Amino acid sequence: MTFLPQPCEPCEPCDPPGCAVLALPSEIDFCNASGLLPLITTAVEQRADGLRLLVLDLSATRFMDSQGVRLIAAVRRRLPDRTLLRVVAAPRGVPSRVLELSGLRRDVPVHDDLADALRP
C-alpha cells in the first residue's frame, strides 16, 4: 500500500497559519517508513517560509515499530530551528507506547489529541 501524508485542507480549522498537520498511515514500519521521510520533507519545504509548527498526527496509526521512531527523529533533525515538532498519538495506542519506550517522548512533545497539539 502506498501512502502519501496529507496535510489538512487550508480551510479546515486544524491548519492555522504557520502550522502544518500531516496525518500518517495506519501502519509505520520497514515497508513504508523510508518513503514517508521525503514526503514529509517536501510538505515542510512547501511551507518553509512561514512554518512554525509541524504536527505529525498518529491518531489513526495502529501499529508502529522502531522505524516510526527513526522517522520522527529524522524529521526532527531536518526541521528548521524555528519550527517546532509535535506528535499526536492515542494515549493507549501502540505508537504512544513505542515513543515512550524509545525515549523519544522526552525530546518531542506527544499530545493526546490534535486540538491539544495545536495550542500555543
Side-chain angles (χ1 to χ4, degrees), residues 95-112:
S96 182
R97 183 72 174 142
V98 169
L99 293 171
E100 182 179 330
L101 291 172
S102 70
L104 192 62
R105 282 185 84 115
R106 290 184 303 250
D107 300 325
V108 177
V110 178
H111 300 272
D112 294 345

Side-chain angles (χ1 to χ4, degrees), residues 29-41:
D29 57 20
F30 180 76
C31 294
N32 67 351
S34 63
L36 292 173
L37 183 59
L39 297 173
I40 294 169
T41 302

Side-chain angles (χ1 to χ4, degrees), residues 32-116:
N32 67 351
S34 63
L36 292 173
L37 183 59
L39 297 173
I40 294 169
T41 302
T42 299
V44 168
E45 289 170 355
Q46 290 174 349
R47 304 273 312 267
D49 57 333
L51 187 63
R52 294 185 319 270
L53 174 64
L54 173 64
V55 178
L56 298 180
D57 187 353
L58 300 172
S59 56
T61 304
R62 302 293 173 238
F63 176 79
M64 183 174 89
D65 62 12
S66 61
Q67 294 301 312
V69 173
R70 292 180 75 169
L71 171 67
I72 294 169
V75 168
R76 181 174 167 257
R77 284 190 306 271
R78 292 174 187 226
L79 284 178
D81 290 337
R82 68 184 185 289
T83 304
L84 298 173
L85 174 62
R86 295 181 185 164
V87 173
V88 175
R92 292 187 179 95
V94 171
S96 182
R97 183 72 174 142
V98 169
L99 293 171
E100 182 179 330
L101 291 172
S102 70
L104 192 62
R105 282 185 84 115
R106 290 184 303 250
D107 300 325
V108 177
V110 178
H111 300 272
D112 294 345
D113 58 56
L114 185 57
D116 190 32

